[in-house]
Structures are given as structure tokens and as C-alpha cells.
Amino acid sequence: MWSALLAFALAAPQVANALLRFPCAQLTVMRSDPLINPGAVSAHLHQVVGGSAFNFNMSADIDMQAASCSSCSIKENKSNYWSPTLYFQSPTNGTFMRVKQRPGPLLGNPNEGMTVYYIQVGSGIKAFPKGFRMIAGDPYLRAYNSSIDDSRSITIRCLSDTTSGNGPDSNGMPTVPCAGGIRTQINFPTCWDGKNVDTPNHKDHVRYAINASFGNFGQGCPSTHPVQLPLLFLETVWDTTPFNKEFVNGKNPFVWAMGDPTGYGFHSDYMMGWPQDTLQRAMDTCTDAGGGNCGVLTTRSEQELNDCALPPRVDEPINGWLTSLPGCNQIYPGPARAPVQSGCGAPTTMLPATSVSFLKTNITGWQAVGCSSQDLTGAKTSGQDMTIEKCLNYCAGQKQQYAGLKAGNACSCGASANTGAISSSYACNVRCAGDANEFCGAANRIAIYNGGTPVDVPTTTIASPTSTATTPPGNTGGSGVAQKWGQCGGIGWTGPTVCVAGSTCSKQNDYYSQCI
């Protein structure tokens, strides 16, 4: 199954010897780009995944392994990956709405995010060295040029459905509605000069393989960059389906956050956050061409991925109907390279990390208590118009002291709340159905508010559940029920082996069985 997924993902005429493939949930969405705009608010909005050390300024000596968590499923990996966000622009009045992402097929249910591949092309692959950084793509391109590596490294798939991942690829944005949304697919360079972990433009220390293009691994590295790296490949699925009726005369109604309606300026950034010896050991010993679990690595649970999140630190709306793109980026269709934009009046300062939260802290008469794993047991309501204020008002009307929000659209009330179930390790980071610029809990987390006498929350935190390394042999069959698309078996698997009703545990390879 994984090899089939790789085949349709890369559409490659060659076969990779081995690969790692794993999901990353969304860490944050904000105008931050520590490579291009270190120490400052960046020009356009990015989706970021990976380690929680991500910040506006990430100097070369930062210890990314010191991150408290990561939104990627491999525990040793605290790298960061980011790319621009996608907006729909109304053909009627020109306003903008941010397009949501959804997980790729067979990867469970991480909160939006992307899928990451480390692919070994040939042999003798060297792991990225500590401190390594690079960029793929060019945000200023507005036309395809087959002589430019950045043009050839990116495709956009018009998905034919929401489950298979099939569909035609193009270098620019599709000009017809896509029944399953669209998927961006970007390859990073695979050839390194062997000396510099970064260069001022974040590109000169690396090169693409000779004549490489998306789906074509090329003919080896040039002599100036002789060291072969893993092929880093990122996929992101964008749910464009709510806007499929908005195509007018074949005109694409979507635009990237930097004002690009063509798709040719899509790009991604990478900061290496692995222990180098661990990644090298994985490259040397994990030779599964299907992308399954790697025995020398440790996996995080899906809940851990979703609990690792950072609140946005730029005080600006990024969701709902906007009259301009965040950063005031102007739409520039080209075909000439886009000009650098600045001085539009958008916010240029970031809020202190200690002053931001997924909970709303300035509601008169209510205390934002924290993010909890335990629901409230009183009256309940839900709806696609749910906001924090709507839930608090409902619970006040029910004469209940506590209000809790969950999954973006659910509200519960209670006479009491278990503060022992609240942890700073949890993230209530799902946006409210009725106001996408607020947060209303998460799939399995409840944002708790107190309308009575303020309460104290224990300073200790509850550790998130962890999974064990896949080195021990056998399958011990842990308790519980695996959800659809979740893992249910494989060498070393200690979790549940029984699938939720309606799905069956199917072996993908020796290390990975999945409920499908």
C-alpha cells in the first residue's frame, strides 16, 4: 500500500531504495519566517509544522532538540518545515477566505499540517548535518521556466477524490474545480557542497541533481555539490472543495499568501532538527521502500502531534472574510517576477510568547482556566455558529459556573471542573466554527472557562501519552480500540490491535498494520 502511495505521489520513473513517510500536524499559522525575515514579522502568512522551538529568530546555534514537543510523528525529529498558506478570493467582491488543510490518506487525523518524506535515491546518502537549513522554490516566480530548478521541483495535483490521492498534476494552479481539493508537492535539492550548513540566500550550498525534476531523480550530483542528501519531499492537501462552484470562465479563484494566483511561486523552508547520528542510522538501516515504521526511531501518538501547537503572535485576523491578504500582499499575476512589497501598514511587531494563548483571557466575568482532557458533565449545545461568547452565555443561562468548548462547535457546562485534568502540554487549538479567529477547544481537548470565584490550576502538568520505540520484536496487543486509519499492529507495536467498527486491521508491511 505504501509503495503504491509513493508511486502516485511522485509519479516517478525510478524507484527509491528506501524512505521515511510521516504526518505532521499544524504547529502554527502566522507571519513568521526565521530564514528570510529573522527577528521580524515576515511578509506573508505561513503554515508551520514540527518542533516547538520555532520562533521569529532562530540563530544558527539554536538547539532545536530542546523543543518541548513536535507536531511530527517521529519523536527524535524536531525539525521545522513551513510553506505559504492558500486563500480563496471571491470573484464577486474580491474578499479573501483562508483555505483549510486536511490530512493525507492513510495517515490518521492530525490537525491539518502536511506529510513529510525523506527518500533515499541510490546509496551512500548522508544525513543532513546539525544546523542545516535550505529553501525550495521561489516566491517571486509567476511563470513556468523549464530551465529553472525551482520551476521543475514543484507540482500541484488536482485530486479526483478525497481518499485515493489520484489526479492530474500541473506546474501551476488548476484551472478547473478539483473534486478532492488540491495537493501541493515540492522536492528539495539533494546535492550538498559538503561544507556549509547554510548560505545567505539559503540555496547556494545545495543543488538539485543534474536534470532533476518532480518525479525524475536526475543523473547524480554536480561536482561542485558532490554529497548526496535524502530527498526531502513535502505534500500538503488543501480543501478547496467548498469553493468549487466559484470558478468563472476557467479562472482559478485561489491565491497564495504572497499574492500569487499562478502557483509558480509556491515554496517551502526547512530547518534540520534531528540528532544527526539518529537520522544517519535511519538512512543506513531503514531500507523499507514502502515508508513504514523504522525500527531505530520512536513514534509519537496522534494526540501528541495535535497537542503540540503555538498560538499566533501577530495581532491580525487571518481567518474569516478579509479585505486584504495578511501583510497587505497585492495580487500579482506576472508573468514577470513579482516585485518586493513593503510598507503597507500591516502589523510589524510580534507579541511576547508569554502573552498569547489559545484561550481568550479578556472576557469580563470569566476566567480562562486552561485546556483539559476531561469534559464537563452538565448541559450541552453545539452548532456551526459556535463562538466562545455564545458558549459562555449559554452556560450562564443554565446557571452553571463552568463552560467548556470542544472540537470547534461543541459547548458543555458544569457546576465543577477537574483542574487536575488541565495541562499546559495540551493544545485547545481548533478554530471556532462561528469565528475562525478564536479557538474552541480541540478534538479531544476542552477549553475551560470559569464564571465564578477564580480557581487555581496545579503547576504540574500531565504528561501526554507516549508510544514506544519499534525495536522490540513481536506484537503485544495493547488495550483499547484503534480508530480508522490508525495503527493496529506491526513489529514492536504495543498499542491496540482491534479496529473501530467499520474498519479492518490490514498489514501494510512488517512494521505497520493499519485500520482501513
Side-chain angles (χ1 to χ4, degrees):
M1 176 65 76
W2 294 119
S3 56
L5 285 169
L6 177 65
F8 74 63
L10 291 179
Q14 304 177 36
V15 177
N17 288 351
L19 65 100
L20 302 175
R21 177 182 187 263
F22 52 88
C24 295
Q26 193 175 86
L27 179 73
T28 192
V29 179
M30 62 182 172
R31 280 197 296 128
S32 177
D33 188 339
L35 279 185
I36 302 300
N37 302 106
V41 175
S42 69
H44 56 266
L45 195 69
H46 296 98
Q47 177 209 200
V48 186
V49 305
S52 61
F54 184 83
N55 207 329
F56 286 88
N57 194 353
M58 300 179 71
S59 59
D61 59 354
I62 185 174
D63 181 11
M64 296 178 69
Q65 279 293 303
S68 61
C69 64
S70 173
S71 69
C72 295
S73 67
I74 295 179
K75 197 162 191 175
E76 293 81 1
N77 175 26
K78 294 184 177 179
S79 302
N80 285 118
Y81 319 78
W82 63 96
S83 61
T85 55
L86 184 65
Y87 278 84
F88 163 75
Q89 184 179 27
S90 169
T92 304
N93 59 20
T95 55
F96 300 91
M97 171 75 75
R98 190 167 73 88
V99 177
K100 295 181 179 180
Q101 298 114 261
R102 68 165 187 271
L106 304 179
L107 286 174
N109 195 33
N111 180 33
E112 304 198 47
M114 61 179 69
T115 306
V116 178
Y117 294 73
Y118 285 72
I119 303 170
Q120 297 189 61
V121 182
S123 58
I125 306 298
K126 298 299 182 183
F128 299 110
K130 183 178 180 180
F132 187 88
R133 297 150 183 230
M134 64 176 169
I135 292 175
D138 182 341
Y140 300 105
L141 286 178
R142 294 296 184 269
Y144 179 76
N145 185 334
S146 62
S147 67
I148 299 176
D149 287 327
D150 285 321
S151 284
R152 300 197 309 269
S153 68
I154 299 165
T155 59
I156 299 176
R157 176 160 296 184
C158 183
L159 296 169
S160 58
D161 55 59
T162 60
T163 57
S164 71
N166 294 326
D169 293 335
S170 59
N171 294 107
M173 294 295 289
T175 57
V176 296
C178 302
I182 67 171
R183 186 175 74 195
T184 50
Q185 307 168 146
I186 184 166
N187 286 350
F188 282 73
T190 57
C191 301
W192 176 43
D193 65 12
K195 303 173 184 177
N196 300 292
V197 295
D198 197 7
T199 44
N201 66 356
H202 315 294
K203 288 190 173 187
D204 285 347
H205 59 311
V206 289
R207 290 287 186 273
Y208 283 90
I210 298 168
N211 296 324
S213 60
F214 191 88
N216 181 346
F217 297 138
Q219 287 82 51
C221 290
S223 59
T224 55
H225 296 71
V227 181
Q228 190 162 335
L229 301 167
L231 170 58
L232 180 62
F233 165 47
L234 307 180
E235 288 180 339
T236 308
V237 178
W238 306 87
D239 187 12
T240 57
T241 58
F243 311 103
N244 276 352
K245 294 182 180 180
E246 301 292 340
F247 280 77
V248 178
N249 298 324
K251 184 180 184 299
N252 157 55
F254 302 103
V255 58
W256 294 106
M258 62 282 189
D260 173 23
T262 70
Y264 300 120
F266 187 76
H267 56 284
S268 289
D269 301 55
Y270 172 60
M271 283 187 173
M272 192 276 199
W274 295 78
Q276 185 180 359
D277 58 341
T278 301
L279 182 57
Q280 187 64 60
R281 190 162 61 251
M283 296 292 99
D284 292 341
T285 62
C286 299
T287 57
D288 174 19
N293 285 354
C294 175
V296 301
L297 301 176
T298 314
T299 57
R300 290 186 179 92
S301 70
E302 184 172 281
Q303 187 63 66
E304 286 180 286
L305 310 191
N306 292 335
D307 272 334
C308 189
L310 300 175
R313 290 174 52 195
V314 180
D315 187 11
E316 63 183 348
I318 62 173
N319 296 289
W321 288 106
L322 308 177
T323 56
S324 62
L325 293 170
C328 306
N329 289 276
Q330 299 298 309
I331 307 300
Y332 187 80
R337 287 177 61 84
V340 177
Q341 303 178 37
S342 63
C344 72
T348 57
T349 58
M350 69 285 293
L351 300 171
T354 55
S355 71
V356 295
S357 171
F358 290 118
L359 281 77
K360 199 166 184 177
T361 58
N362 58 350
I363 304 175
T364 301
W366 289 87
Q367 172 196 13
V369 180
C371 189
S372 175
S373 60
Q374 185 173 317
D375 209 342
L376 301 177
T377 58
K380 300 180 186 298
T381 186
S382 62
Q384 293 307 307
D385 59 347
M386 185 60 64
T387 65
I388 296 173
E389 289 78 4
K390 182 179 178 66
C391 179
L392 303 191
N393 290 337
Y394 171 77
C395 291
Q398 297 293 315
K399 301 188 182 306
Q400 297 286 284
Q401 178 175 340
Y402 290 91
L405 294 119
K406 182 178 180 180
N409 64 356
C411 171
S412 59
C413 313
S416 62
N418 179 10
T419 57
I422 293 171
S423 171
S424 61
S425 297
Y426 298 156
C428 283
N429 61 330
V430 170
R431 296 182 183 272
C432 300
D435 184 348
N437 289 302
E438 294 183 343
F439 299 93
C440 287
N444 296 306
R445 303 294 185 222
I446 299 88
I448 302 291
Y449 292 84
N450 170 27
T453 303
V455 295
D456 293 325
V457 179
T459 55
T460 55
T461 60
I462 301 171
S464 296
T466 57
S467 53
T468 57
T470 57
T471 47
N475 185 333
T476 61
S479 61
V481 177
Q483 299 299 306
K484 190 173 184 181
W485 310 123
Q487 186 171 358
C488 57
I491 295 175
W493 174 245
T494 59
T497 58
V498 176
C499 294
V500 68
S503 60
T504 303
C505 190
S506 176
K507 179 179 178 180
Q508 311 299 314
N509 54 58
D510 288 343
Y511 291 92
Y512 196 82
S513 296
Q514 186 170 39
C515 295
I516 58 177

